[in-house]
Amino acid sequence: MIEINKIRLNIEKYITSLKKRGIENIEDILKNLISLDDERKSLKTNLDNLLSEANKIAKEIGNKIKSDDKDIKELKNKSAEIKESSNILSEKLKNKELEIRDIIVNIPNTPDEKVPEGNSEDNNIEISSNEVAVDKKINLVPHWELIKDFNLIDFDNGNKITGAGFPIYTDKGAKLQRALINYFLDEAEKNGYTEIQPPILVNEDSGFGTGQLPDKEGMMYKIENENLFIIPTAEVPITNIYRKNIIDEDKLPIKNVAYTPCFRKEAGSWGAHVRGLNRLHQFDKVEIVQIENEKNSENALNEMCDYVESLIKSLEISYRKILLCAGDLGFASSITYDFEVFAPGQKRWLECSSVSNFKTYQSNRMNLKIKKNKDKVLAHTLNGSALALPRIVATILETHQNKNEIKIPDVLHRYTGFKQINL
RNA sequence: AGAGGAGUGGCAGAGUGGUCGAAUGCGGCGGUCUUGAAAACCGUUGUACCGCAAGGUACCGGGGGUUCGAAUCCCUCCUCCUCUGCCA
């Protein structure tokens, strides 16, 4: 959530920044917001004065009763009058606050200066890449064929017991996935992240805190009669641990990692090329989250990217790192680097990680502050996938396929217990 | 799930209609003393909003109500504890 007080200080900066996102009438929206806030302030001042007067009268009545002066009728009448007008004002103030909130909650985060302009993925900028050679002599096939041939995933029974997008990993497929999860968790721990196992269901406040609600309610599965949401990413429960917290600056950085399954409705995003593991309703992911102060958050973002990059590299697969343009940027993010891996069997790039700095956007929503001496300032929150499993599995299978076997990357051997998958 | 009890400042804990944003203790911060530290003593110590400021308003688990006035009374929801039941 952007901060009105900061908009007041430099509205031009906000206009320029949010225009990058393609919000054409942003100037009107922001100016309207400030004038609504002015109205709010004056309502608040008036209301406080009335309440102050009412408090005084109440005390006066109290004193009179105590001193056996029973002549309080006039004061009571006056109090009733004040109460009537304060009720009206209070209602107005509440409505004004709701009006402001409805607007501000729907304004996305301001893109960082580094974020390129543009409204399609063509405007994204490739930052770095690495290509892993594949055997040109064999006929490379997509992972959904390998999965069938090598008996690694059972989509049919997944369809039967749940529905499309809920695969069953079987035998070495399941082991490969479990190996990857353990490898990712261990590596994160080596890099200073404390492991946690959060709940998979979250309440509405949590969904609001990280920005999924109310903007993207449609992405999450909901348990209707409990008013709980099934997490689309571990970002939601992890970051919300720190909701309504004031953290001492010397406790920073806070670094957490968690493995969780993730659930996304993915409504309307099922095209012809979405096959196999490319897009699922349920998938596994290891997520890293950091909380930092303003001074260090840019540095933290770079560190997280470097970490993700090293992780992908260690799996011996081709990848590229991309800086998202403003139009491709998520609602709550200020700057995002995506990592895509190349799946040679289907000759497609697959996004496997998204590393973002939300700056104060989430912390303002969830009231997360950092205490530095006497000052309290909004924290910066960051997160990244390290990594999302299915597309990594798909890419490993497609990259390391051979005639009668699939080789497992060296770093995973001690986790899988096998070095290749045979027919 | 049923019955009973409870939720107060960083923690412990008092407060059952007015003088309570809230005693007291511990902790934290500043100071005196000391070569330094401890002890002792003195002072200070919640959050948000409005206001140039003085100051004001709101907040005692959340929401609503009664009253001139609510931490205190009523309703409702949530959480925790004890017992019973059920269950990985």
Side-chain angles (χ1 to χ4, degrees):
Chain A
M1 200 157 66
I2 57 175
E3 298 155 78
I4 295 184
N5 287 338
K6 289 210 176 142
I7 300 173
R8 286 177 183 277
L9 293 177
N10 193 347
I11 188 166
E12 291 307 322
K13 197 177 113 190
Y14 277 82
I15 292 170
T16 319
S17 180
L18 285 166
K19 267 203 176 144
K20 265 178 151 181
R21 287 226 191 220
I23 311 173
E24 288 308 329
N25 57 342
I26 190 65
E27 182 166 354
D28 296 339
I29 293 174
L30 294 183
K31 284 186 172 161
N32 178 238
L33 202 55
I34 288 175
S35 91
L36 286 171
D37 195 47
D38 288 337
E39 291 169 38
R40 189 201 113 243
K41 286 183 179 195
S42 102
L43 285 171
K44 164 87 173 150
T45 305
N46 292 338
L47 176 62
D48 282 358
N49 289 340
L50 280 182
L51 291 176
S52 174
E53 209 178 319
N55 284 343
K56 271 185 207 139
I57 291 172
K59 274 182 190 159
E60 247 179 88
I61 293 174
N63 288 334
K64 284 205 173 199
I65 288 173
K66 227 179 296 168
S67 58
D68 264 344
D69 181 351
K70 298 292 187 233
D71 186 22
I72 53 173
K73 203 166 185 185
E74 203 178 307
L75 284 175
K76 277 200 180 185
N77 288 339
K78 204 171 164 195
S79 179
E81 269 173 45
I82 292 173
K83 197 176 182 182
E84 206 176 312
S85 36
S86 77
N87 279 345
I88 294 168
L89 264 185
S90 166
E91 192 68 20
K92 275 189 187 168
L93 178 62
K94 207 166 142 191
N95 288 335
K96 194 61 71 183
E97 284 169 348
L98 285 176
E99 196 182 343
I100 289 168
R101 195 189 134 104
D102 276 352
I103 294 169
I104 206 161
V105 140
N106 285 302
I107 299 173
N109 199 355
T110 49
D112 188 280
E113 281 174 15
K114 284 208 195 79
V115 171
E117 294 194 29
N119 50 21
S120 84
E121 59 183 47
D122 299 335
N123 303 109
N124 295 341
I125 296 173
E126 184 174 312
I127 303 294
S128 63
S129 65
N130 187 49
E131 195 183 332
V132 170
V134 288
D135 191 346
K136 293 272 173 16
K137 277 173 277 178
I138 65 161
N139 176 35
L140 293 169
V141 299
H143 68 272
W144 48 86
E145 291 185 23
L146 297 165
I147 277 165
K148 228 175 225 167
D149 296 345
F150 289 86
N151 259 322
L152 301 174
I153 295 175
D154 177 358
F155 280 103
D156 293 340
N157 274 315
N159 286 338
K160 181 175 75 182
I161 62 175
T162 305
F166 292 90
I168 300 167
Y169 299 83
T170 57
D171 196 22
K172 284 190 170 157
K175 287 211 168 72
L176 173 58
Q177 179 124 248
R178 180 153 59 91
L180 282 163
I181 292 166
N182 285 331
Y183 171 59
F184 292 161
L185 286 171
D186 285 354
E187 290 302 304
E189 197 175 357
K190 280 185 205 157
N191 278 270
Y193 293 90
T194 305
E195 182 178 348
I196 57 165
Q197 284 191 23
I200 306 304
L201 265 50
V202 294
N203 59 29
E204 213 173 332
D205 286 347
S206 295
F208 177 81
T210 32
Q212 281 72 25
L213 295 174
D215 182 55
K216 292 181 285 185
E217 171 148 14
M219 87 183 294
M220 291 190 287
Y221 289 96
K222 188 178 184 185
I223 317 267
E224 282 294 345
N225 43 1
E226 303 283 346
N227 210 24
L228 293 172
F229 296 86
I230 312 179
I231 59 169
T233 158
E235 161 197 351
V236 181
I238 304 175
T239 315
N240 274 285
I241 292 171
Y242 306 99
R243 173 152 49 89
K244 292 182 179 175
N245 273 192
I246 297 171
I247 300 169
D248 278 341
E249 194 179 36
D250 55 18
K251 297 250 168 62
L252 297 176
I254 286 176
K255 297 170 81 173
N256 284 141
V257 59
Y259 152 71
T260 68
C262 301
F263 300 82
R264 298 185 184 177
K265 290 173 98 164
E266 303 286 8
S269 56
W270 297 82
H273 44 253
V274 178
R275 289 189 65 179
L277 294 172
N278 288 3
R279 175 160 290 138
L280 301 167
H281 286 307
Q282 175 178 343
F283 64 97
D284 289 316
K285 181 157 64 67
V286 172
E287 181 82 1
I288 51 177
V289 170
Q290 276 208 47
I291 294 169
E292 259 295 3
N293 58 22
E294 182 179 9
K295 199 176 95 212
N296 295 333
S297 83
E298 188 178 345
N299 200 27
L301 180 70
N302 292 334
E303 273 175 25
M304 290 166 81
C305 281
D306 290 348
Y307 169 64
V308 167
E309 190 164 354
S310 73
L311 210 52
I312 297 173
K313 224 177 218 170
S314 75
L315 297 172
E316 303 164 54
I317 50 184
S318 302
Y319 72 88
R320 61 186 187 190
K321 177 186 177 185
I322 285 164
L323 174 59
L324 294 190
C325 72
D328 241 12
L329 202 58
F331 184 80
S333 176
S334 179
I335 178 168
T336 296
Y337 291 95
D338 270 5
F339 287 86
E340 297 181 343
V341 287
F342 188 73
Q346 47 179 323
K347 296 187 173 52
R348 285 178 56 84
W349 289 98
L350 304 174
E351 184 194 328
C352 69
S353 176
S354 202
V355 185
S356 303
N357 188 350
F358 300 87
K359 299 191 179 167
T360 58
Y361 194 86
Q362 292 181 328
S363 64
N364 191 31
R365 285 183 161 227
M366 63 173 88
N367 204 2
L368 163 58
K369 295 191 171 175
I370 289 167
K371 188 172 164 189
K372 184 185 178 182
N373 300 322
K374 286 253 168 179
D375 292 339
K376 290 165 195 77
V377 293
L378 290 173
H380 280 210
T381 61
L382 305 95
N383 67 51
S385 348
L387 300 158
L389 273 289
R391 292 172 185 168
I392 289 292
V393 169
T395 303
I396 287 174
L397 298 180
E398 291 187 26
T399 303
H400 300 296
Q401 61 180 298
N402 229 314
K403 265 208 171 103
N404 296 313
E405 63 166 26
I406 295 164
K407 281 185 287 181
I408 301 296
D410 289 351
V411 289
L412 295 177
H413 291 175
R414 52 183 286 246
Y415 291 95
T416 52
F418 50 85
K419 295 181 178 178
Q420 71 280 317
I421 300 169
N422 296 309
L423 270 181

